[in-house]
């Protein structure tokens, strides 16, 4: 009988490290996880966070508590996570606004989107939907653009606040189409949509989950979506880029989707981050969650943590340019 090979010193060290890491991750998995949403309830971030939190709770058998911490365009909630212990108990539902727009909007931002957080996993890409009230004379995007150009500064649009996804999406459209619109910021997406339904503002260009129920009920009319392809949940609504191919050259290739993903405080243990990434990707691949996201107009965005971190780094300069060109100011 041949004798078993003697493990090398490196192998013994790695085995010891793994033995220490696994109990730490299991100990964290037994406690409630706090998932901070840096916006008010009712918006796309909140809707997606609650869907993910519910599925993680089912998968793990312990609570994932969704905690809304709004303010300053999501900066208050994000800073709370950045300053939390890196012990795996606190996560942020990161968002294009908190992670890519706020650094340009707030010159003295208390956190750094690349240094203060450890990326965990991408969750979803959410196209924005340009909607008007059912009483609007505009039946499609070209008519709405004509109305806006015929009375510059008279048409208004709502958003969930300065620097919110709806704000930057509409400012991006304004720059591309040469429009002059009046911005009416609200403290959250839900009240901004409610006032659009009530006729207090003329339009909004916000995440599909927040407006799809009202489009389906007939209280809002969808004119266009910000994604490169049409949404399965709104198959008859064209993309903005389609109009660019039909005579609006400034809109060719237009895309201004929101994106969402989980981040943890910097220094969170790598084994715990790896487990969170694996669990999130597994959930995103499940038929039930995929169907739930699709019904909300959201597209799953699975992948390694490094890919989500690269997306954040790539989007920072893009939205910095929009913030500067639009001369956007924080609340």
């Amino acid at each position: 009988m041949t004798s078993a090979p003697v493990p090398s010193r490196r192998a013994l060290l790695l085995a010891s490290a793994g033995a220490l890491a696994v109990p730490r991750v299991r100990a964290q998995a037994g406690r409630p996880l706090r998932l901070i949403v840096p916006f008010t309830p009712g918006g796309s971030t909140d809707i997606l966070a609650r869907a993910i939190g519910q599925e993680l709770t089912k998968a793990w058998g312990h609570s994932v508590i969704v905690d809304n911490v709004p303010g300053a365009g999501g900066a208050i909630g994000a800073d709370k996570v950045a300053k939390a212990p890196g012990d795996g108990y606190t996560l942020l539902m990161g968002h294009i606004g908190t992670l890519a727009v706020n650094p340009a909007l707030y010159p003295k931002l208390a956190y750094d989107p690349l240094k203060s957080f450890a990326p965990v996993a991408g969750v979803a890409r959410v196209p924005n939907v340009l909607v008007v009230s059912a009483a609007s004379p505009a039946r499609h995007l070209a008519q709405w653009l004509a109305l806006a150009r015929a009375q510059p500064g008279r048409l208004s649009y709502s958003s969930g606040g300065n620097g919110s996804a709806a704000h930057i999406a509409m400012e991006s459209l304004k720059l591309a189409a040469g429009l002059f619109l009046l911005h009416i910021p609200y403290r959250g997406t839900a009240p901004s949509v409610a006032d659009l339904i009530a006729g207090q503002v003329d339009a909004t260009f916000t995440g599909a989950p927040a407006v799809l129920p009202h489009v389906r009920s007939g209280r809002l009319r969808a004119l266009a979506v910000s994604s490169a392809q049409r949404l399965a949940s709104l198959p008859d609504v064209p993309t903005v880029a389609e109009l660019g191919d039909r005579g609006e050259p400034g809109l060719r290739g237009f895309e201004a989707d929101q994106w969402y993903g989980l981040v943890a405080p910097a220094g969170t243990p790598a084994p715990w981050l790896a487990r969170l990434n694996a669990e999130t990707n597994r959930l995103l691949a499940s038929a039930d969650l995929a169907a739930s996201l699709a019904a909300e107009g959201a597209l799953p965005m699975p992948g390694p943590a490094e890919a989500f971190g690269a997306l954040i780094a790539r989007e920072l300069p893009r939205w910095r340019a929009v913030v500067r060109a639009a001369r956007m100011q924080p609340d």
Side-chain angles (χ1 to χ4, degrees):
M1 179 182 295
T2 58
S3 60
V6 178
S8 67
R9 182 173 183 272
R10 173 178 169 80
L12 288 172
L13 288 173
L14 289 174
S16 298
L20 291 173
V22 171
R24 179 183 174 99
V25 174
R26 285 177 180 165
Q28 291 171 337
R31 290 177 54 181
L33 188 151
R34 187 183 183 200
L35 177 54
I36 288 184
V37 174
F39 301 105
T40 55
S44 301
T45 312
D46 181 70
I47 292 169
L48 288 172
R50 292 183 186 279
I52 289 293
Q54 183 177 15
E55 293 300 322
L56 285 175
T57 297
K58 290 179 188 175
W60 293 348
H62 68 274
S63 298
V64 176
I65 300 169
V66 176
D67 187 6
N68 295 87
V69 184
I76 293 176
D79 185 48
K80 197 176 190 71
V81 175
K83 290 182 169 60
D87 56 11
Y89 302 150
T90 306
L91 295 178
L92 173 72
M93 177 56 84
H95 168 255
I96 184 174
T98 50
L99 298 176
V101 177
N102 282 354
L105 195 64
Y106 296 91
K108 295 183 180 180
L109 195 64
Y111 62 88
D112 184 301
L114 299 178
K115 296 177 181 178
S116 301
F117 304 106
V120 174
V123 170
R125 184 176 291 276
V126 175
N128 291 298
V129 183
L130 177 61
V131 289
V132 296
S133 74
S136 172
R139 311 297 298 185
H140 50 74
L141 178 58
Q143 284 184 336
W144 185 79
L145 292 176
L147 285 173
R149 288 167 177 158
Q151 41 189 339
R154 295 289 301 277
L155 292 188
S156 62
Y157 76 94
S158 65
S159 79
N162 286 318
S164 66
H167 188 194
I168 62 172
M170 190 67 93
E171 288 299 324
S172 186
L173 179 61
K174 283 172 56 181
L175 291 169
L179 303 179
F180 177 27
L181 304 171
L182 178 63
H183 176 219
I184 309 295
Y186 287 76
R187 294 190 178 277
T189 299
S192 79
V193 172
D195 263 15
L196 174 60
I197 294 171
Q200 300 300 311
V201 291
D202 297 301
T204 195
F205 197 15
T206 196
V211 296
L212 273 178
H214 308 299
V215 172
R216 290 168 178 151
S217 71
R219 290 183 290 181
L220 293 178
R221 181 181 305 129
L223 302 182
V225 296
S226 69
S227 49
Q229 291 84 32
R230 295 191 182 195
L231 291 180
S233 52
L234 291 172
D236 297 326
V237 179
T239 69
V240 173
E242 285 181 50
L243 189 57
D245 295 333
R246 296 199 303 265
E248 284 278 354
L251 301 181
R252 286 178 185 155
F254 182 91
E255 190 172 355
D257 292 352
Q258 300 183 42
W259 46 260
Y260 302 80
L262 299 172
V263 295
T268 300
W272 181 239
L273 293 174
R275 179 183 176 185
L276 280 171
N277 177 267
E279 288 288 354
T280 303
N281 285 331
R282 185 182 64 78
L283 292 174
L284 292 174
S286 71
D288 288 347
L289 186 56
S292 177
L293 290 176
E296 296 286 358
L299 309 171
M301 194 172 70
E306 294 79 9
F308 184 50
L311 172 65
I312 297 169
R314 193 167 61 245
E315 289 279 86
L316 281 164
R318 176 191 178 189
W319 294 109
R320 185 182 300 115
V322 173
V323 168
R324 288 176 177 173
R327 298 180 180 178
M328 294 166 62
Q329 298 292 326
D331 290 319

